[in-house]
Amino acid sequence: MYRGFSTEKATMEDKVRSLIDNLRGQCLKRGVGGIRELSVVFRRMDVDFSKRLCYQEFEEGVKAYELIMTNEDIDLLFNTFDTNKNRQIDFLELVAKLRPPMCQARKNVVNQSFDRLDANQNGILELEDLKIVYSSNARKHPKYMSGEWTEEQVLRNFLDSIDTPGNPDGKVTREEFLNYYAGVSATVDDDSYFDLMMRACYGLPNKGEKTK
Protein backbone atom coordinates (compact mmCIF):
# COMPACT_ATOMS: atom_id res chain seq x y z
CA MET A 1 0.00 0.00 0.00
CA TYR A 2 2.77 2.40 0.95
CA ARG A 3 4.83 1.52 -2.12
CA GLY A 4 1.85 2.05 -4.39
CA PHE A 5 1.21 5.49 -2.91
CA SER A 6 4.86 6.44 -3.38
CA THR A 7 4.80 5.32 -7.02
CA GLU A 8 1.64 7.32 -7.68
CA LYS A 9 3.17 10.41 -6.07
CA ALA A 10 6.38 10.04 -8.08
CA THR A 11 4.40 9.69 -11.30
CA MET A 12 2.46 12.88 -10.53
CA GLU A 13 5.68 14.77 -9.73
CA ASP A 14 7.17 13.60 -13.03
CA LYS A 15 4.09 14.84 -14.88
CA VAL A 16 4.25 18.25 -13.18
CA ARG A 17 7.98 18.51 -13.93
CA SER A 18 7.34 17.62 -17.56
CA LEU A 19 4.55 20.18 -17.77
CA ILE A 20 6.76 22.94 -16.36
CA ASP A 21 9.55 21.99 -18.78
CA ASN A 22 7.07 22.18 -21.64
CA LEU A 23 5.79 25.61 -20.59
CA ARG A 24 9.33 26.88 -20.14
CA GLY A 25 10.15 25.75 -23.66
CA GLN A 26 7.10 27.51 -25.08
CA CYS A 27 8.12 30.74 -23.35
CA LEU A 28 11.74 30.56 -24.50
CA LYS A 29 10.65 30.16 -28.12
CA ARG A 30 9.58 33.82 -27.85
CA GLY A 31 13.11 34.89 -26.95
CA VAL A 32 15.18 35.38 -23.81
CA GLY A 33 12.47 37.60 -22.30
CA GLY A 34 9.65 35.14 -22.87
CA ILE A 35 9.24 34.14 -19.23
CA ARG A 36 9.42 37.77 -18.08
CA GLU A 37 6.66 38.58 -20.55
CA LEU A 38 4.54 35.81 -19.06
CA SER A 39 4.97 37.42 -15.65
CA VAL A 40 3.57 40.66 -17.11
CA VAL A 41 0.50 38.80 -18.36
CA PHE A 42 -0.04 37.34 -14.88
CA ARG A 43 0.40 40.76 -13.29
CA ARG A 44 -2.35 42.12 -15.53
CA MET A 45 -4.62 39.32 -14.36
CA ASP A 46 -3.86 40.23 -10.73
CA VAL A 47 -6.47 42.97 -10.60
CA ASP A 48 -6.35 43.36 -6.80
CA PHE A 49 -2.50 43.58 -6.74
CA SER A 50 -2.29 40.73 -4.23
CA LYS A 51 0.49 38.97 -6.20
CA ARG A 52 -1.72 35.93 -6.03
CA LEU A 53 -4.01 34.46 -8.66
CA CYS A 54 -7.30 32.68 -8.29
CA TYR A 55 -8.04 29.84 -10.71
CA GLN A 56 -9.92 32.06 -13.17
CA GLU A 57 -7.11 34.64 -13.26
CA PHE A 58 -4.53 31.92 -13.78
CA GLU A 59 -6.56 30.32 -16.57
CA GLU A 60 -7.07 33.69 -18.29
CA GLY A 61 -3.34 34.44 -18.07
CA VAL A 62 -2.42 31.12 -19.67
CA LYS A 63 -4.86 31.71 -22.52
CA ALA A 64 -3.87 35.38 -22.95
CA TYR A 65 -0.25 34.32 -23.43
CA GLU A 66 -1.44 31.63 -25.86
CA LEU A 67 0.26 28.79 -24.02
CA ILE A 68 -0.75 25.37 -25.27
CA MET A 69 -2.28 23.67 -22.23
CA THR A 70 -5.26 21.38 -21.83
CA ASN A 71 -7.81 22.09 -19.11
CA GLU A 72 -6.40 19.07 -17.29
CA ASP A 73 -2.90 20.56 -17.42
CA ILE A 74 -4.16 23.90 -16.10
CA ASP A 75 -5.94 22.14 -13.22
CA LEU A 76 -2.86 20.10 -12.38
CA LEU A 77 -0.47 23.04 -12.43
CA PHE A 78 -2.81 25.26 -10.41
CA ASN A 79 -3.45 22.58 -7.79
CA THR A 80 0.28 21.88 -7.52
CA PHE A 81 1.07 25.51 -6.69
CA ASP A 82 -1.98 25.98 -4.50
CA THR A 83 0.03 24.66 -1.54
CA ASN A 84 -2.36 25.71 1.22
CA LYS A 85 -5.42 24.76 -0.82
CA ASN A 86 -7.12 28.15 -0.58
CA ARG A 87 -7.69 28.28 -4.36
CA GLN A 88 -4.97 30.90 -4.86
CA ILE A 89 -1.38 30.66 -6.05
CA ASP A 90 1.64 32.93 -5.77
CA PHE A 91 2.41 33.79 -9.39
CA LEU A 92 5.93 34.99 -8.54
CA GLU A 93 6.70 31.50 -7.27
CA LEU A 94 5.29 30.01 -10.47
CA VAL A 95 7.37 32.32 -12.66
CA ALA A 96 10.46 31.44 -10.59
CA LYS A 97 9.77 27.75 -11.24
CA LEU A 98 9.51 28.43 -14.97
CA ARG A 99 12.82 30.27 -15.00
CA PRO A 100 15.42 28.19 -16.88
CA PRO A 101 17.72 26.47 -14.39
CA MET A 102 21.30 27.75 -14.12
CA CYS A 103 24.22 25.91 -12.61
CA GLN A 104 25.71 27.47 -9.47
CA ALA A 105 28.70 28.86 -11.39
CA ARG A 106 26.40 30.80 -13.70
CA LYS A 107 24.28 32.06 -10.79
CA ASN A 108 27.45 33.21 -9.06
CA VAL A 109 28.67 35.31 -11.97
CA VAL A 110 25.19 36.80 -12.50
CA ASN A 111 25.03 37.75 -8.82
CA GLN A 112 28.55 39.20 -9.00
CA SER A 113 27.44 41.31 -11.97
CA PHE A 114 24.42 42.57 -10.05
CA ASP A 115 26.61 43.44 -7.05
CA ARG A 116 29.01 45.28 -9.37
CA LEU A 117 26.18 47.49 -10.64
CA ASP A 118 24.49 47.99 -7.27
CA ALA A 119 26.66 50.92 -6.22
CA ASN A 120 24.69 51.85 -3.09
CA GLN A 121 24.19 48.18 -2.15
CA ASN A 122 20.48 48.44 -1.45
CA GLY A 123 19.54 45.41 -3.54
CA ILE A 124 17.96 47.45 -6.36
CA LEU A 125 19.53 48.76 -9.55
CA GLU A 126 18.52 52.34 -10.30
CA LEU A 127 19.68 55.11 -12.58
CA GLU A 128 21.91 56.61 -9.90
CA ASP A 129 23.75 53.28 -9.50
CA LEU A 130 24.48 53.11 -13.21
CA LYS A 131 25.69 56.69 -13.35
CA ILE A 132 28.38 55.72 -10.84
CA VAL A 133 29.57 52.38 -12.26
CA TYR A 134 28.32 52.11 -15.85
CA SER A 135 28.57 55.59 -17.39
CA SER A 136 31.71 54.75 -19.39
CA ASN A 137 29.83 51.92 -21.10
CA ALA A 138 26.93 54.24 -21.85
CA ARG A 139 29.24 56.63 -23.70
CA LYS A 140 30.19 53.83 -26.10
CA HIS A 141 26.57 53.30 -27.15
CA PRO A 142 26.01 54.16 -30.85
CA LYS A 143 23.06 56.43 -30.10
CA TYR A 144 25.08 58.36 -27.52
CA MET A 145 28.01 58.72 -29.88
CA SER A 146 25.70 59.98 -32.65
CA GLY A 147 24.12 62.52 -30.31
CA GLU A 148 20.66 60.94 -30.61
CA TRP A 149 20.51 59.92 -26.93
CA THR A 150 21.88 61.44 -23.76
CA GLU A 151 23.87 59.34 -21.31
CA GLU A 152 20.80 59.16 -19.05
CA GLN A 153 18.64 57.88 -21.91
CA VAL A 154 21.18 55.15 -22.65
CA LEU A 155 21.27 54.07 -19.01
CA ARG A 156 17.49 54.13 -18.72
CA ASN A 157 17.19 52.02 -21.85
CA PHE A 158 19.58 49.51 -20.29
CA LEU A 159 17.45 49.31 -17.14
CA ASP A 160 14.23 48.98 -19.13
CA SER A 161 15.66 46.10 -21.16
CA ILE A 162 16.15 44.08 -17.96
CA ASP A 163 13.15 45.43 -16.04
CA THR A 164 9.72 43.81 -16.20
CA PRO A 165 8.61 44.18 -19.84
CA GLY A 166 5.52 46.28 -20.40
CA ASN A 167 5.78 47.73 -16.90
CA PRO A 168 9.28 49.21 -16.37
CA ASP A 169 9.60 51.31 -13.23
CA GLY A 170 13.26 52.28 -13.47
CA LYS A 171 14.18 49.79 -10.75
CA VAL A 172 15.61 46.30 -11.27
CA THR A 173 15.62 43.82 -8.39
CA ARG A 174 18.08 40.96 -8.08
CA GLU A 175 15.24 38.57 -8.94
CA GLU A 176 14.46 40.46 -12.16
CA PHE A 177 18.16 40.50 -13.03
CA LEU A 178 18.37 36.72 -12.46
CA ASN A 179 15.19 36.16 -14.49
CA TYR A 180 16.62 38.08 -17.43
CA TYR A 181 19.98 36.33 -17.45
CA ALA A 182 18.38 32.93 -16.92
CA GLY A 183 16.77 33.51 -20.31
CA VAL A 184 20.11 34.55 -21.79
CA SER A 185 21.79 31.55 -20.16
CA ALA A 186 19.34 29.19 -21.88
CA THR A 187 20.75 30.31 -25.25
CA VAL A 188 24.42 29.74 -24.29
CA ASP A 189 25.54 26.11 -24.10
CA ASP A 190 29.08 26.60 -22.83
CA ASP A 191 29.53 27.54 -19.16
CA SER A 192 32.95 29.07 -19.74
CA TYR A 193 31.68 31.28 -22.56
CA PHE A 194 28.75 32.47 -20.44
CA ASP A 195 31.13 33.31 -17.60
CA LEU A 196 33.49 35.16 -19.94
CA MET A 197 30.60 37.07 -21.53
CA MET A 198 29.27 38.27 -18.18
CA ARG A 199 32.70 39.30 -16.92
CA ALA A 200 33.47 41.24 -20.10
CA CYS A 201 30.07 42.94 -20.08
CA TYR A 202 30.24 44.13 -16.47
CA GLY A 203 33.96 44.61 -15.98
CA LEU A 204 34.42 41.75 -13.56
CA PRO A 205 37.94 40.37 -13.00
CA ASN A 206 38.71 37.11 -14.75
CA LYS A 207 38.82 33.99 -12.64
CA GLY A 208 41.95 33.92 -10.53
CA GLU A 209 42.42 37.69 -10.70
CA LYS A 210 42.00 39.84 -7.63
CA THR A 211 39.57 42.74 -7.66
CA LYS A 212 41.38 46.04 -7.77
Side-chain angles (χ1 to χ4, degrees), residues 14-109:
D14 289 342
K15 187 172 182 179
V16 170
R17 191 178 301 110
S18 176
L19 179 57
I20 291 176
D21 288 343
N22 179 272
L23 289 180
R24 182 187 297 125
Q26 290 186 53
C27 291
L28 290 176
K29 284 182 179 178
R30 302 173 186 234
V32 297
I35 292 174
R36 294 186 308 125
E37 290 170 6
L38 176 61
S39 72
V40 173
V41 172
F42 282 153
R43 278 186 173 87
R44 290 172 182 162
M45 298 299 117
D46 180 30
V47 293
D48 61 356
F49 304 104
S50 66
K51 296 185 179 180
R52 303 188 70 83
L53 300 174
C54 68
Y55 182 86
Q56 182 179 357
E57 290 171 334
F58 177 68
E59 183 181 35
E60 289 175 357
V62 167
K63 292 179 178 178
Y65 198 57
E66 299 179 348
L67 292 172
I68 301 173
M69 290 180 65
T70 65
N71 290 334
E72 180 184 356
D73 289 341
I74 293 174
D75 289 343
L76 176 58
L77 201 58
F78 184 88
N79 289 330
T80 298
F81 283 94
D82 180 18
T83 53
N84 59 3
K85 305 307 176 187
N86 66 347
R87 301 301 292 166
Q88 288 189 324
I89 60 174
D90 183 332
F91 73 77
L92 293 178
E93 181 182 353
L94 174 60
V95 170
K97 287 286 186 181
L98 288 175
R99 186 170 69 199
M102 288 190 288
C103 67
Q104 192 58 50
R106 294 194 184 203
K107 288 181 182 177
N108 289 345
V109 76

Side-chain angles (χ1 to χ4, degrees), residues 60 142 155 181 198 212:
E60 289 175 357
L155 295 175
Y181 277 105
M198 294 297 296
K212 296 180 180 180

Side-chain angles (χ1 to χ4, degrees), residues 121-134:
Q121 299 182 336
N122 68 344
I124 298 175
L125 303 184
E126 299 176 272
L127 202 58
E128 293 308 312
D129 291 307
L130 300 189
K131 285 180 179 179
I132 295 172
V133 299
Y134 208 63

Side-chain angles (χ1 to χ4, degrees), residues 143-162:
K143 289 193 175 183
Y144 175 84
M145 296 178 71
S146 69
E148 185 177 349
W149 282 0
T150 64
E151 179 183 318
E152 185 166 314
Q153 285 175 308
V154 173
L155 295 175
R156 182 56 194 260
N157 180 70
F158 170 79
L159 276 179
D160 289 350
S161 69
I162 298 175

